[in-house]
PDB file of all heavy atoms in Angstrom:
ATOM      1  N   GLN K 970      35.951  36.044 -30.925  1.00 94.00           N
ATOM      2  CA  GLN K 970      36.138  36.638 -32.257  1.00 94.00           C
ATOM      3  C   GLN K 970      37.111  37.807 -32.250  1.00 94.00           C
ATOM      4  O   GLN K 970      36.849  38.851 -32.860  1.00 94.00           O
ATOM      5  CB  GLN K 970      34.791  37.076 -32.815  1.00 94.00           C
ATOM      6  CG  GLN K 970      33.837  35.903 -32.891  1.00 94.00           C
ATOM      7  CD  GLN K 970      32.441  36.310 -33.236  1.00 94.00           C
ATOM      8  OE1 GLN K 970      31.849  37.108 -32.510  1.00 94.00           O
ATOM      9  NE2 GLN K 970      31.916  35.780 -34.315  1.00 94.00           N
ATOM     10  N   TYR K 972      40.278  38.909 -33.693  1.00 90.00           N
ATOM     11  CA  TYR K 972      41.158  38.481 -34.787  1.00 90.00           C
ATOM     12  C   TYR K 972      42.427  39.332 -34.901  1.00 90.00           C
ATOM     13  O   TYR K 972      43.265  39.086 -35.745  1.00 90.00           O
ATOM     14  CB  TYR K 972      40.385  38.453 -36.118  1.00 90.00           C
ATOM     15  CG  TYR K 972      39.187  37.529 -36.037  1.00 90.00           C
ATOM     16  CD1 TYR K 972      37.897  37.980 -36.288  1.00 90.00           C
ATOM     17  CD2 TYR K 972      39.350  36.192 -35.655  1.00 90.00           C
ATOM     18  CE1 TYR K 972      36.807  37.126 -36.174  1.00 90.00           C
ATOM     19  CE2 TYR K 972      38.267  35.337 -35.534  1.00 90.00           C
ATOM     20  CZ  TYR K 972      36.993  35.814 -35.798  1.00 90.00           C
ATOM     21  OH  TYR K 972      35.922  34.968 -35.676  1.00 90.00           O
ATOM     22  N   HIS K1047      31.110  30.682 -27.282  1.00 98.00           N
ATOM     23  CA  HIS K1047      31.164  31.035 -28.703  1.00 98.00           C
ATOM     24  C   HIS K1047      32.578  30.797 -29.267  1.00 98.00           C
ATOM     25  O   HIS K1047      33.290  31.745 -29.611  1.00 98.00           O
ATOM     26  CB  HIS K1047      30.775  32.517 -28.815  1.00 98.00           C
ATOM     27  CG  HIS K1047      30.230  32.953 -30.133  1.00 98.00           C
ATOM     28  ND1 HIS K1047      28.950  33.421 -30.305  1.00 98.00           N
ATOM     29  CD2 HIS K1047      30.791  33.019 -31.359  1.00 98.00           C
ATOM     30  CE1 HIS K1047      28.755  33.763 -31.561  1.00 98.00           C
ATOM     31  NE2 HIS K1047      29.868  33.535 -32.230  1.00 98.00           N
ATOM     32  N   ASN K1091      27.246  28.321 -29.062  1.00 98.00           N
ATOM     33  CA  ASN K1091      26.761  29.019 -30.250  1.00 98.00           C
ATOM     34  C   ASN K1091      26.919  28.136 -31.482  1.00 98.00           C
ATOM     35  O   ASN K1091      27.987  27.564 -31.707  1.00 98.00           O
ATOM     36  CB  ASN K1091      27.573  30.305 -30.455  1.00 98.00           C
ATOM     37  CG  ASN K1091      27.228  30.998 -31.765  1.00 98.00           C
ATOM     38  OD1 ASN K1091      26.105  31.462 -31.952  1.00 98.00           O
ATOM     39  ND2 ASN K1091      28.192  31.037 -32.691  1.00 98.00           N
ATOM     40  N   GLU K1092      25.884  28.032 -32.288  1.00 98.00           N
ATOM     41  CA  GLU K1092      25.925  27.360 -33.595  1.00 98.00           C
ATOM     42  C   GLU K1092      26.887  26.167 -33.584  1.00 98.00           C
ATOM     43  O   GLU K1092      28.019  26.271 -34.056  1.00 98.00           O
ATOM     44  CB  GLU K1092      26.292  28.382 -34.679  1.00 98.00           C
ATOM     45  CG  GLU K1092      25.244  29.498 -34.751  1.00 98.00           C
ATOM     46  CD  GLU K1092      25.530  30.552 -35.803  1.00 98.00           C
ATOM     47  OE1 GLU K1092      26.600  30.523 -36.436  1.00 98.00           O
ATOM     48  OE2 GLU K1092      24.658  31.429 -35.998  1.00 98.00           O
ATOM     49  N   HIS K1150      18.433  30.791 -34.476  1.00 98.00           N
ATOM     50  CA  HIS K1150      18.954  31.970 -35.166  1.00 98.00           C
ATOM     51  C   HIS K1150      18.178  32.156 -36.467  1.00 98.00           C
ATOM     52  O   HIS K1150      17.735  31.173 -37.069  1.00 98.00           O
ATOM     53  CB  HIS K1150      20.453  31.803 -35.461  1.00 98.00           C
ATOM     54  CG  HIS K1150      21.291  31.883 -34.215  1.00 98.00           C
ATOM     55  ND1 HIS K1150      22.645  31.664 -34.183  1.00 98.00           N
ATOM     56  CD2 HIS K1150      20.928  32.184 -32.925  1.00 98.00           C
ATOM     57  CE1 HIS K1150      23.086  31.819 -32.947  1.00 98.00           C
ATOM     58  NE2 HIS K1150      22.066  32.122 -32.171  1.00 98.00           N
ATOM     59  N   TYR K1152      18.542  34.094 -40.100  1.00 98.00           N
ATOM     60  CA  TYR K1152      19.210  34.949 -41.097  1.00 98.00           C
ATOM     61  C   TYR K1152      18.642  34.653 -42.490  1.00 98.00           C
ATOM     62  O   TYR K1152      19.312  34.892 -43.490  1.00 98.00           O
ATOM     63  CB  TYR K1152      20.713  34.665 -41.127  1.00 98.00           C
ATOM     64  CG  TYR K1152      21.488  35.187 -39.933  1.00 98.00           C
ATOM     65  CD1 TYR K1152      21.963  34.321 -38.953  1.00 98.00           C
ATOM     66  CD2 TYR K1152      21.777  36.540 -39.798  1.00 98.00           C
ATOM     67  CE1 TYR K1152      22.699  34.784 -37.865  1.00 98.00           C
ATOM     68  CE2 TYR K1152      22.510  37.015 -38.724  1.00 98.00           C
ATOM     69  CZ  TYR K1152      22.970  36.135 -37.762  1.00 98.00           C
ATOM     70  OH  TYR K1152      23.705  36.603 -36.695  1.00 98.00           O
ATOM     71  N   HIS K1159      23.260  38.225 -45.916  1.00 96.00           N
ATOM     72  CA  HIS K1159      24.725  38.177 -45.946  1.00 96.00           C
ATOM     73  C   HIS K1159      25.293  38.739 -47.250  1.00 96.00           C
ATOM     74  O   HIS K1159      26.433  38.446 -47.616  1.00 96.00           O
ATOM     75  CB  HIS K1159      25.221  36.752 -45.692  1.00 96.00           C
ATOM     76  CG  HIS K1159      25.174  36.368 -44.236  1.00 96.00           C
ATOM     77  ND1 HIS K1159      23.999  36.289 -43.537  1.00 96.00           N
ATOM     78  CD2 HIS K1159      26.168  36.093 -43.345  1.00 96.00           C
ATOM     79  CE1 HIS K1159      24.267  35.957 -42.272  1.00 96.00           C
ATOM     80  NE2 HIS K1159      25.579  35.837 -42.127  1.00 96.00           N
ATOM     81  N   TRP K1164      32.697  35.900 -45.693  1.00 92.00           N
ATOM     82  CA  TRP K1164      32.814  34.600 -45.033  1.00 92.00           C
ATOM     83  C   TRP K1164      31.562  33.805 -45.453  1.00 92.00           C
ATOM     84  O   TRP K1164      30.666  34.345 -46.079  1.00 92.00           O
ATOM     85  CB  TRP K1164      32.889  34.756 -43.512  1.00 92.00           C
ATOM     86  CG  TRP K1164      31.624  35.272 -42.893  1.00 92.00           C
ATOM     87  CD1 TRP K1164      30.626  34.547 -42.321  1.00 92.00           C
ATOM     88  CD2 TRP K1164      31.204  36.646 -42.814  1.00 92.00           C
ATOM     89  NE1 TRP K1164      29.608  35.377 -41.889  1.00 92.00           N
ATOM     90  CE2 TRP K1164      29.936  36.664 -42.179  1.00 92.00           C
ATOM     91  CE3 TRP K1164      31.763  37.864 -43.218  1.00 92.00           C
ATOM     92  CZ2 TRP K1164      29.229  37.844 -41.937  1.00 92.00           C
ATOM     93  CZ3 TRP K1164      31.057  39.033 -42.979  1.00 92.00           C
ATOM     94  CH2 TRP K1164      29.813  39.018 -42.344  1.00 92.00           C
ATOM     95  N   GLU K1235      20.029  35.483 -32.404  1.00 98.00           N
ATOM     96  CA  GLU K1235      20.798  36.120 -33.489  1.00 98.00           C
ATOM     97  C   GLU K1235      19.881  36.303 -34.680  1.00 98.00           C
ATOM     98  O   GLU K1235      19.258  35.350 -35.147  1.00 98.00           O
ATOM     99  CB  GLU K1235      21.999  35.267 -33.916  1.00 98.00           C
ATOM    100  CG  GLU K1235      23.240  35.476 -33.106  1.00 98.00           C
ATOM    101  CD  GLU K1235      24.494  34.869 -33.752  1.00 98.00           C
ATOM    102  OE1 GLU K1235      24.594  34.835 -34.997  1.00 98.00           O
ATOM    103  OE2 GLU K1235      25.355  34.407 -32.990  1.00 98.00           O
ATOM    104  N   TRP K1269      21.979  40.586 -33.867  1.00 97.00           N
ATOM    105  CA  TRP K1269      23.419  40.546 -34.147  1.00 97.00           C
ATOM    106  C   TRP K1269      23.721  41.771 -34.976  1.00 97.00           C
ATOM    107  O   TRP K1269      23.176  41.889 -36.070  1.00 97.00           O
ATOM    108  CB  TRP K1269      23.789  39.280 -34.927  1.00 97.00           C
ATOM    109  CG  TRP K1269      25.261  39.139 -35.107  1.00 97.00           C
ATOM    110  CD1 TRP K1269      26.005  39.627 -36.146  1.00 97.00           C
ATOM    111  CD2 TRP K1269      26.173  38.484 -34.227  1.00 97.00           C
ATOM    112  NE1 TRP K1269      27.329  39.324 -35.955  1.00 97.00           N
ATOM    113  CE2 TRP K1269      27.461  38.621 -34.796  1.00 97.00           C
ATOM    114  CE3 TRP K1269      26.040  37.812 -32.995  1.00 97.00           C
ATOM    115  CZ2 TRP K1269      28.606  38.096 -34.184  1.00 97.00           C
ATOM    116  CZ3 TRP K1269      27.169  37.303 -32.412  1.00 97.00           C
ATOM    117  CH2 TRP K1269      28.433  37.441 -33.006  1.00 97.00           C
ATOM    118  N   PHE K1280      27.219  44.271 -38.538  1.00 95.00           N
ATOM    119  CA  PHE K1280      25.765  44.084 -38.516  1.00 95.00           C
ATOM    120  C   PHE K1280      25.145  45.104 -37.556  1.00 95.00           C
ATOM    121  O   PHE K1280      24.018  44.962 -37.110  1.00 95.00           O
ATOM    122  CB  PHE K1280      25.421  42.681 -37.998  1.00 95.00           C
ATOM    123  CG  PHE K1280      25.632  41.553 -38.970  1.00 95.00           C
ATOM    124  CD1 PHE K1280      26.900  41.205 -39.422  1.00 95.00           C
ATOM    125  CD2 PHE K1280      24.558  40.810 -39.432  1.00 95.00           C
ATOM    126  CE1 PHE K1280      27.091  40.151 -40.307  1.00 95.00           C
ATOM    127  CE2 PHE K1280      24.722  39.757 -40.312  1.00 95.00           C
ATOM    128  CZ  PHE K1280      26.003  39.429 -40.749  1.00 95.00           C
TER     129      PHE K1280
HETATM  130  C1  LIG Y1668      29.128  34.311 -36.097  1.00 55.04           C
HETATM  131  C2  LIG Y1668      29.684  35.602 -36.656  1.00 55.04           C
HETATM  132  C3  LIG Y1668      28.907  36.049 -37.872  1.00 55.04           C
HETATM  133  C4  LIG Y1668      27.437  36.063 -37.579  1.00 55.04           C
HETATM  134  C5  LIG Y1668      26.647  36.356 -38.827  1.00 55.04           C
HETATM  135  C6  LIG Y1668      27.704  34.544 -35.791  1.00 55.04           C
HETATM  136  O1  LIG Y1668      27.165  33.427 -35.139  1.00 55.04           O
HETATM  137  O2  LIG Y1668      29.818  33.932 -34.933  1.00 55.04           O
HETATM  138  O3  LIG Y1668      31.027  35.429 -36.984  1.00 55.04           O
HETATM  139  O4  LIG Y1668      29.293  37.357 -38.231  1.00 55.04           O
HETATM  140  O5  LIG Y1668      27.017  34.839 -37.019  1.00 55.04           O
HETATM  141  O6  LIG Y1668      27.039  35.525 -39.875  1.00 55.04           O
END
Side-chain angles (χ1 to χ4, degrees):
Q970 302 171 301
Y972 302 122
H1047 204 116
N1091 173 65
E1092 299 180 354
H1150 289 175
Y1152 287 106
H1159 282 64
W1164 67 96
E1235 274 194 33
W1269 186 270
F1280 284 66

